[in-house]
Amino acid sequence: MTLGAALGLASVVTPSAAWSWSPSGSIAGAGTGVDPQWVWDDEIDQIMASALDNGQVPAINDAILPWVNNGQAVPSGLPPELAAFLQREKQLPAWADMAKLRRAANFNRKKDMYLFFLYGLGGGIMSTVIPREAKSVYWSAGGADMQDRAAKTFSFGYDLSDINAFETSGQFLVTSNKTRLVHAAVRHLLPQSPHWKAVADETIPISNADILVTFHSTGTFAHKKMKEWGIPMLSADQDAFLHSWQVALHMLGVRDEYIPSSWNAAHAQSAQVLTPILGLTPEGKALAEVLLGLISQVDLGVTRGFLNEFVRYQLGNEIGDWLELKRDYVSAGLIRVGWPAYIAFREGLLPLVPANFYLFDQLIKAIAMAFLNRGESGLTTPITIPTGNRAG
Ligand code: HEM
């Protein structure tokens, strides 16, 4: 039986609209106008394809394991073309502005509670209704162990938000390059998966467009929600926050002609590439169930009903209904009143701790315990390059 039949679902395939976002709103300021769904990451894709075909990946994984900090040299023992690639690509782009990146780090620290909810719950569950992402994640090797995969993805957000992210002592330049290698490997592996091929509407996954979509489901979504929720944000902070994402997209191999140069341009791009493609797939439904199950099984008094309603509060009832998140109207009421009060208290606009404050704090702890697998050592779950796909 197929996964879709098992869940009683027909896969929803939404054709994407033609690409018309203007490169004048990009970092590069101009471009070819080529639709980014046909753009991948050619040089590293070829390097990783040949490393996989020649059985070199386990040795590469051993070599990159101790490579963690931005200031560390590219490890020895790598195929020469990979070492040369990393040597060049671990540098920040010429347009990166360290002052803005430091400001972004401070902003991330001040807003970390909101970002935690927005990335961890809103963005995380939104990724399950992005059909191409859900199918890739489900059918790649990591899809079989979502707790581990979510922990690794969290480490990306964690390293990006860290106060030292872009400094010599930080880790983001290494984490983003490792991620780029994993994505390149997945582009070679997934087209060999009969399961993925049976459901995919593309021949090679993780195009530049797909990565932009993920940015909009996390960074752009967080910006939109924080504005909607009335969280005070200086315009220089908003700029800096965008800048850290611009650098992140560049480090993940997105061409500068597609990277939005302003929040207005980003929201316009999001409306074009993200909103119309949201849809339900059997893979996405299964992934959402696993993710929400992992959070609600942490025994901190956060009920599954509360969790379902907080997802609905962030993403809306249409997505909540697709995922068949059971209603809990008492929790929905608590969130409608309690969340704005929680924000007001955190922003110093309410003198007294609001009732039910603890529920949101417990939820943060539950998400952290489910996914932020840093343990006592403080070490991130290492990102490793997969050598195969999910078996079935
Ligand atoms: C792996 C982050 C976009 C599919 C990873 C990993 C990170 C990451 C940190 C390594 C963790 C791991 O090995 O599981 C990101 C970020 C993105 C992005 C920050 C964009 C802003 C995408 C997109 C897709 C995708 C658009 C698919 C359409 C995958 C897959 C893996 C992966 C299939 C490999 C999982 C495995 O090991 O089997 N990504 N990703 N990612 N990503 Fe992404």
Side-chain angles (χ1 to χ4, degrees):
M1 196 189 320
T2 65
L3 179 69
L7 290 167
L9 280 176
S11 189
V12 180
V13 180
T14 325
S16 52
W19 172 254
S20 61
W21 188 79
S22 167
S24 63
S26 73
I27 288 274
T32 56
V34 172
D35 185 332
Q37 73 166 314
W38 306 114
V39 175
W40 291 274
D41 203 356
D42 299 344
E43 185 183 345
I44 191 64
D45 289 352
Q46 273 166 26
I47 294 173
M48 290 314 300
S50 118
L52 282 161
D53 289 344
N54 296 323
Q56 292 167 304
V57 169
I60 295 175
N61 275 330
D62 287 344
I64 63 172
L65 188 66
W67 186 45
V68 178
N69 288 334
N70 298 340
Q72 271 175 275
V74 170
S76 54
L78 296 174
E81 62 283 10
L82 176 58
F85 176 88
L86 291 174
Q87 195 59 47
R88 195 184 70 227
E89 296 296 318
K90 84 187 259 287
Q91 314 301 328
L92 283 169
W95 45 262
D97 176 337
M98 273 315 284
K100 274 192 180 178
L101 292 174
R102 289 191 182 120
R103 189 171 187 123
N106 265 314
F107 174 80
N108 279 320
R109 195 174 45 178
K110 280 186 286 182
K111 306 295 178 202
D112 61 355
M113 289 291 178
Y114 309 125
L115 291 173
F116 210 82
F117 278 127
L118 288 163
Y119 291 163
L121 206 56
I125 299 302
M126 201 187 316
S127 75
T128 72
V129 290
I130 296 172
R132 286 181 170 180
E133 187 167 343
K135 290 172 189 171
S136 304
V137 168
Y138 188 93
W139 290 114
S140 63
D145 184 349
M146 279 309 285
Q147 187 160 27
D148 181 62
R149 208 200 108 79
K152 289 172 179 165
T153 308
F154 248 82
S155 80
F156 185 98
Y158 199 92
D159 293 348
L160 173 61
S161 306
D162 189 75
I163 192 81
N164 292 317
F166 297 92
E167 313 286 340
T168 319
S169 60
Q171 305 187 346
F172 185 71
L173 302 181
V174 173
T175 301
S176 56
N177 267 293
K178 287 187 179 179
T179 305
R180 196 167 172 186
L181 304 189
V182 173
H183 286 161
V186 168
R187 291 189 193 103
H188 187 62
L189 291 169
L190 271 184
Q192 299 171 38
S193 156
H195 304 289
W196 182 78
K197 269 178 38 189
V199 294
D201 66 342
E202 57 188 346
T203 47
I204 305 172
I206 324 184
S207 64
N208 266 207
D210 291 329
I211 297 179
L212 289 165
V213 165
T214 307
F215 156 57
H216 294 310
S217 69
T218 47
T220 311
F221 171 71
H223 180 252
K224 177 173 154 228
K225 282 287 159 188
M226 287 194 285
K227 290 207 100 164
E228 252 175 54
W229 290 341
I231 294 165
M233 293 186 283
L234 296 173
S235 97
D237 282 344
Q238 295 181 48
D239 264 12
F241 179 50
L242 174 63
H243 193 62
S244 65
W245 267 106
Q246 290 167 330
V247 172
L249 290 169
H250 177 95
M251 301 301 296
L252 286 173
V254 176
R255 292 187 188 166
D256 291 352
E257 72 184 89
Y258 302 127
I259 302 177
S261 60
S262 67
W263 275 121
N264 278 344
H267 288 291
Q269 193 185 69
S270 176
Q272 194 182 115
V273 298
L274 170 67
T275 317
I277 59 138
L278 291 172
L280 182 63
T281 59
E283 288 81 3
K285 179 133 195 292
L287 291 176
E289 245 344 281
V290 174
L291 289 172
L292 293 170
L294 285 168
I295 303 172
S296 61
Q297 84 188 16
V298 178
D299 193 11
L300 284 174
V302 178
T303 64
R304 179 60 203 264
F306 187 81
L307 195 55
N308 284 353
E309 290 298 336
F310 205 41
V311 172
R312 283 177 176 271
Y313 186 76
Q314 287 196 34
L315 299 182
N317 281 326
E318 192 181 7
I319 291 178
D321 290 347
W322 286 346
L323 296 172
E324 293 179 46
L325 303 180
K326 282 211 187 71
R327 299 299 323 231
D328 172 346
Y329 292 102
V330 175
S331 290
L334 279 178
I335 293 166
R336 220 174 19 251
V337 178
W339 181 243
Y342 180 88
I343 292 174
F345 179 71
R346 291 199 62 88
E347 297 298 328
L349 305 170
L350 264 190
L352 293 175
V353 182
N356 301 318
F357 185 86
Y358 74 97
L359 275 177
F360 297 102
D361 269 4
Q362 292 298 87
L363 179 51
I364 288 183
K365 285 194 199 124
I367 299 173
M369 283 171 72
F371 301 131
L372 207 53
N373 187 6
R374 290 203 151 224
E376 283 175 13
S377 65
L379 293 173
T380 324
T381 310
I383 293 176
T384 49
I385 302 160
T387 51
N389 295 308
R390 182 177 187 154

